[in-house]
Amino acid sequence: MSNILTIENLEKTYKTEGETLTILKDLSFEVEQGSKTVIIGESGSGKSTLLNIIGSIDTATSGTVIAGPWNVTRMSEKEKNQYRSKFIGLIFQFHYLLKDFTALENVYMASYMAGVSKRESIERASKLLEDVGLANRMNHLPSELSGGERQRVAVARALINNPELILADEPTGNLDPANAALIGDLLFSMAEKYQKTLILVTHDTLLSKKGSVCYTIKNGKLEKVGE
């Protein structure tokens, strides 16, 4: 199977008040198309930074990130916007739903803004919300939804533009254990159903066991768990 993501010699360094802090150092790894990759590590280890670089939210100090046809480390701002709207779906620890929009509106707007007709966007969003178990909650505002339900909306929104790659950064971090388990299961089942490649960053060891491959991040580099 071909690789959807190739990272070579990645480095991320922050400079503050004369001090240099290297978060990622000479990091290289590959992700197979359709795989479910889990990255675990202590707080501050650089796992979220790595995901943000893959998602073009942050920039690397040096190294190369190739995601599908995209050279992530050399994209213009216009290309970054296209990459984020077409190639990747993002899920964060916080849902980032628009508080004055219903669940349906929060999901379909991402498609509508990407140039899909309103009718088709609503149809797609409705189907995804049904798939995540929110068929009877579509017209509720985020304030009327539970924490778990809000993350279900976020999962649907990440899939609305049919991305190749789903990036999830601690998606269960704000949830109680029962809801965390449900959202974790949902994320993997939806990625499987829609045949998406998933990269999940988490500190949840139970969630880490669901992946097809698991890495831990230490001293700025990835080590495959179980080797």
Side-chain angles (χ1 to χ4, degrees):
M1 191 161 300
S2 60
N3 292 327
I4 192 171
L5 179 72
T6 302
I7 294 178
E8 293 180 350
N9 310 121
L10 192 69
E11 189 158 314
K12 179 63 179 179
T13 301
Y14 294 98
K15 292 183 179 179
T16 53
E17 298 176 4
E19 185 182 6
T20 300
L21 181 64
T22 300
I23 301 292
L24 305 173
K25 186 175 183 181
D26 195 27
L27 184 151
S28 298
F29 87 120
E30 297 173 338
V31 174
E32 277 191 1
Q33 182 107 26
S35 65
K36 312 293 179 279
T37 299
V38 179
I39 300 172
I40 57 175
E42 295 177 2
S43 182
S45 61
K47 57 189 190 298
S48 291
T49 300
L50 173 61
L51 212 65
N52 285 340
I53 291 171
I54 297 169
S56 77
I57 296 165
D58 201 350
T59 54
T61 305
S62 62
T64 307
V65 178
I66 306 292
W70 304 84
N71 185 335
V72 179
T73 35
R74 294 191 175 184
M75 293 193 297
S76 66
E77 284 305 313
K78 183 180 179 181
E79 288 170 329
K80 285 179 182 179
N81 289 333
Q82 291 176 333
Y83 171 72
R84 286 194 288 262
S85 70
K86 293 179 179 178
F87 192 80
I88 59 172
L90 295 163
I91 304 166
F92 300 98
Q93 185 169 345
F94 185 71
H95 55 78
Y96 292 112
L97 299 179
L98 300 169
K99 64 183 179 68
D100 296 325
F101 288 75
T102 64
L104 181 63
E105 289 167 337
N106 264 286
V107 177
Y108 93 67
M109 283 300 289
S111 172
Y112 185 53
M113 290 175 71
V116 179
S117 73
K118 186 173 182 180
R119 181 179 175 181
E120 187 178 341
S121 296
I122 291 173
E123 286 177 1
R124 280 191 199 176
S126 298
K127 175 69 168 64
L128 284 166
L129 286 167
E130 286 175 15
D131 285 349
V132 300
L134 293 178
N136 61 346
R137 309 286 282 167
M138 291 187 197
N139 296 313
H140 287 64
L141 296 170
S143 60
E144 299 169 320
L145 300 173
S146 68
E149 287 171 336
R150 288 193 285 265
Q151 277 301 69
R152 286 172 183 269
V153 178
V155 171
R157 182 182 56 191
L159 286 161
I160 188 68
N161 287 330
N162 197 27
E164 294 287 326
L165 179 62
I166 301 291
L167 304 176
D169 187 4
E170 296 280 10
T172 62
N174 281 341
L175 303 175
D176 61 80
N179 267 311
L182 287 170
I183 293 298
D185 287 342
L186 176 72
L187 194 50
F188 280 94
S189 66
M190 290 292 282
E192 194 64 39
K193 177 174 182 174
Y194 285 96
Q195 298 180 304
K196 303 303 177 190
T197 307
L198 173 66
I199 303 177
L200 170 71
V201 157
T202 185
H203 66 271
D204 186 336
T205 52
L206 291 175
L207 207 51
S208 70
K209 293 173 184 174
K210 295 180 181 294
S212 47
V213 61
C214 182
Y215 292 91
T216 182
I217 189 163
K218 289 180 181 176
N219 302 317
K221 295 185 179 183
L222 288 175
E223 298 174 11
K224 193 175 281 188
V225 174
E227 285 192 350

